[in-house]
Amino acid sequence: EKGGYKHFMLKEINEQPRAIADTISGNLQWFESGKVEGIEPEEVERITVVACGTSYHAGLIGKFLFENLAKIPTEVDYASEFRYRDPIVKNRDLVISITQSGETADTLAAMRLAKERGAKVLTICNVIGSTATREADTVIYTYAGPEISVASTKAFTTQLTVLLLLALCFGRRRGKLGQREFDSLFKELMSIPSKAEAFLNREKEEERVKEIALKLYRAKNALYLGRHVNYPIALEGALKLKEISYIHAEGYPAGEMKHGPIALIDETVPAVFLATKSPVYEKVLSNIEEVKARKGRVVAVVNPGDSAVSKLADFKIEVPETHPLLSPVLNVIPLQLLAYYIADFLGYDVDQPRNLAKSVTVE
Ligand code: M6R
């Protein structure tokens, strides 16, 4: 059942190339027709994403995608907060819930409130026939297949895949995305499964992640830092480490570091940076310099051929290069593996971490 892997989590991390490819092909029909059932993208004035945990992090990336590619103002809310702040929801709003299980109580409650207030509700969900899919006006499935490990991995990267397809579709329908940019982003999305596969099949890279895990597993605290579309990946990397290794970790937008968290840095607090090619690369580089100046140990996720960050970093992990807006899908994979190997070295029950359930069906 674990397909020869020691844990479901490792199996599911390795299933990502297949899961992403299936999610693209499973959604090609509506994507190619340019129509999402029940939604007129030209009429959407605002998107609000509601979700919890890892699905919430996917939503944060969705904000960049919808705003960048389709020019639709987008808010992202923790589902557990949404209904308690008397949210402003209008009938030209599209509310998107993101949920692997389709059974998260807070997310369902947020969907119900949004519907009551007149919004259209679209759900991005992995479980066929789940409550979210029965209650939403429109359903788009991720095709991750069953996710058994409590720590979500392939559900996340397939959620990002759907968000990319949606943002591309909305962008074209609203006339905000030229044909060339649309074609080139879609082509790049189609190459993500093979790039993810190339990373996962490189034993050298996996060995390197294990080596880094061996150096870091005694840490009591860790920081994860990224900017722009990779800032939510920093949050996600920190969440993965917390939930399965019980090491305290915080994710931050790297530019916020000097407003507080930099005080934490010394030689005992590793900082994991997302530093792949992007318009904010130089900014991330100077944030890394700030950490090195305080004797922090730096792990950097970079692209092949990188030199400036690699010179400074204590450890580097190379992931294939892609368009910056798509980079979260690849950049999260080494962070999933890092959390996995650290938890495994510590001897914890990776698939069933303490205090956690796979789906949180109570408030
Ligand atoms: O099934 P859902 O996507 O609604 O679940 C949301 C969160 O409970 C979930 O992502 C949780 O944060 C995971 N354990 C993270 O790995």
Side-chain angles (χ1 to χ4, degrees):
E1 39 158 28
K2 290 183 196 150
Y5 291 98
K6 186 170 174 192
H7 295 100
F8 281 110
M9 183 179 178
L10 190 57
K11 171 173 178 263
E12 289 162 3
I13 290 171
N14 279 282
E15 279 171 351
Q16 288 178 110
R18 196 267 317 141
I20 297 165
D22 286 355
T23 299
I24 299 173
S25 58
N27 285 294
L28 263 193
Q29 210 177 356
W30 65 259
F31 181 75
E32 281 180 341
S33 74
K35 285 194 198 87
V36 185
E37 184 214 309
I39 294 167
E40 297 300 331
E42 298 86 342
E43 283 168 18
V44 174
E45 278 178 2
R46 190 175 65 142
I47 292 175
T48 300
V49 179
V50 290
C52 301
T54 288
S55 299
Y56 171 80
H57 297 153
L60 291 177
I61 293 169
K63 174 180 167 73
F64 283 89
L65 302 175
F66 291 125
E67 293 193 341
N68 247 279
L69 301 174
K71 308 290 176 225
I72 307 176
T74 303
E75 274 189 53
V76 191
D77 239 311
Y78 283 114
S80 56
E81 287 293 314
F82 185 72
R83 74 187 128 142
Y84 296 115
R85 70 173 174 85
D86 193 13
I88 299 168
V89 183
K90 301 202 181 117
N91 60 3
R92 286 169 75 110
D93 283 5
L94 172 63
V95 171
I96 302 182
S97 76
I98 307 178
T99 170
Q100 187 285 129
S101 61
E103 303 296 347
T104 301
D106 285 318
T107 305
L108 294 173
M111 290 171 66
R112 286 170 193 149
L113 179 65
K115 260 184 117 170
E116 245 170 63
R117 298 203 169 178
K120 277 236 157 66
V121 176
L122 180 160
T123 191
I124 299 174
C125 188
N126 193 46
V127 177
I128 296 174
S130 58
T131 310
T133 66
R134 283 184 272 114
E135 296 193 6
D137 299 301
T138 304
V139 181
I140 298 187
Y141 282 107
T142 47
Y143 292 84
E147 192 181 63
I148 309 291
S149 172
V150 165
S152 184
T153 54
K154 60 179 181 168
F156 178 69
T157 44
T158 55
Q159 288 163 351
L160 294 181
T161 304
V162 166
L163 288 165
L164 275 156
L165 290 171
L166 269 178
L168 284 171
C169 172
F170 289 177
R172 187 157 70 165
R173 282 281 296 277
R174 291 164 66 91
K176 304 294 181 196
L177 200 58
Q179 191 65 39
R180 264 169 103 212
E181 203 186 351
F182 176 91
D183 288 343
S184 97
L185 281 164
F186 182 61
K187 195 166 154 233
E188 194 51 41
L189 179 59
M190 297 279 279
S191 76
I192 292 291
S194 58
K195 288 185 180 179
E197 178 107 52
F199 174 77
L200 286 162
N201 284 346
R202 250 188 289 144
E203 263 173 41
K204 208 175 84 225
E205 225 50 51
E206 190 164 348
E207 279 310 309
R208 181 179 297 253
V209 177
K210 262 194 215 169
E211 258 170 55
I212 300 172
L214 200 54
K215 295 263 167 47
L216 301 188
Y217 77 95
R218 285 192 202 86
K220 294 276 173 279
N221 296 285
L223 278 178
Y224 283 73
L225 301 158
R227 300 187 76 134
H228 193 250
V229 80
N230 279 298
Y231 139 59
I233 295 301
L235 300 183
E236 175 60 9
L239 177 62
K240 287 286 92 88
L241 188 69
K242 274 185 273 213
E243 65 177 337
I244 61 172
S245 76
Y246 318 139
I247 294 172
H248 170 239
E250 284 197 59
Y252 253 95
E256 268 294 299
M257 217 179 36
K258 56 172 95 49
H259 300 285
I262 200 165
L264 290 169
I265 298 206
D266 64 18
E267 57 283 358
T268 69
V269 181
V272 181
F273 275 93
L274 283 318
T276 49
K277 283 185 196 155
S278 82
V280 293
Y281 178 85
E282 296 294 328
K283 302 279 167 201
V284 175
L285 178 65
S286 57
N287 297 136
I288 294 178
E289 280 162 353
E290 290 158 9
V291 169
K292 285 311 302 172
R294 285 155 188 88
K295 306 207 162 34
R297 277 183 299 170
V298 169
V299 179
V301 176
V302 297
N303 289 138
D306 177 88
S307 83
V309 165
S310 303
K311 270 188 216 139
L312 282 175
D314 299 84
F315 311 101
K316 69 167 179 176
I317 307 169
E318 280 183 2
V319 297
E321 190 178 339
T322 181
H323 187 285
L325 286 177
L326 276 66
S327 63
V329 187
L330 297 175
N331 291 354
V332 75
I333 301 175
L335 304 192
Q336 297 167 341
L337 284 172
L338 186 62
Y340 172 78
Y341 284 117
I342 289 178
D344 193 38
F345 281 140
L346 289 167
Y348 293 134
D349 184 351
V350 174
D351 289 331
Q352 289 292 336
R354 68 186 184 203
N355 307 342
L356 293 171
K358 181 65 185 159
S359 52
V360 184
T361 53
V362 290
E363 191 187 345

